[in-house]
Amino acid sequence: MSNEIGQRICGVDFDNTIVSYDDVLASIARQRGLVDASEAGSKRKIRDRIRQLPEGEIEWQKCQALIYGPCIDQARINDGVPEFFHLCAQRRVKVYIISHKTESSPFDTVTNLRQAAMDWMTGQRFFEASGLDLRQSDVFFADSRREKARTIARLQCTHFIDDLEETFLEETFPQSTARILYDPARQEPAAAGITVMKSWKDICEHLFDRD
Ligand SMILES: [Mg+2]
């Protein structure tokens, strides 16, 4: 087993890929009376339920403003993410976080959502050598999905990990970048050229075990 992997550069999405909002969204949706106390589930399930309500789209956007902003401190890191970053550091694999995230929400113009994400990462020890060992300058925010795909190309990512298939289907997404869809609940196959992974453990095995 070699200790280094030549030229591998991994790009990773932030929202719902690194950070899980499932619990914080469920608790906010309950507090706002949008779902019953007994209802739980993934962010996607709760989102779909909220969107079906009258004014559901607006309610959903208000919830998003809260979970990505003032309530992000209640969000948790997905299982296996720290191990992934440790493996990358060990094997000298460069990692970037590349996120499509606007600076603010129309429902909360005070909170800077990018700063909230950076503060969350700081709290999770992303930027400590004894933590996840990333640099703040390795985090990129894009205003649109198109700009995100361009950033992935510019940083020459050999791999990109994202929870949204749409990221990979973006026109400007680089052809040479391997597409890894992180989707724990996925049953159906993804589009051609996309590898579906149900856990970060599987992603680590996929990327590192055969080296
Ligand atoms: Mg995402």
Side-chain angles (χ1 to χ4, degrees), residues 62-186:
K62 286 181 183 168
C63 287
Q64 276 188 303
L66 287 167
I67 60 174
Y68 296 151
C71 299
I72 196 173
D73 56 325
Q74 296 169 49
R76 52 172 202 85
I77 192 163
N78 272 321
D79 289 341
V81 169
E83 291 76 9
F84 167 81
F85 278 85
H86 294 149
L87 273 169
C88 287
Q90 259 175 33
R91 310 285 179 96
R92 309 274 188 272
V93 170
K94 182 75 195 163
V95 195
Y96 294 112
I97 293 174
I98 305 166
S99 166
H100 168 202
K101 189 184 271 297
T102 52
E103 289 218 18
S104 65
S105 156
F107 295 99
D108 175 2
T109 49
V110 177
T111 305
N112 183 318
L113 301 177
R114 295 178 178 179
Q115 191 55 49
M118 292 302 278
D119 291 346
W120 182 86
M121 283 185 264
T122 303
Q124 298 283 334
R125 306 182 64 233
F126 270 66
F127 307 118
E128 292 173 36
S130 61
L132 276 70
D133 203 16
L134 199 74
R135 288 179 306 184
Q136 298 210 14
S137 56
D138 294 332
V139 182
F140 295 82
F141 294 108
D143 287 324
S144 65
R145 205 175 277 158
R146 170 174 285 247
E147 188 195 327
K148 175 177 171 175
R150 286 207 175 114
T151 305
I152 294 164
R154 181 164 55 82
L155 295 171
Q156 300 184 303
C157 296
T158 56
H159 297 72
F160 198 76
I161 303 161
D162 202 298
D163 68 297
L164 268 189
E165 203 170 359
E166 287 89 330
T167 302
F168 303 122
L169 304 176
E170 177 62 47
E171 214 184 322
T172 50
F173 192 92
Q175 290 302 318
S176 55
T177 303
R179 301 156 192 223
I180 299 172
L181 181 67
Y182 166 74
D183 190 350
R186 184 120 190 155

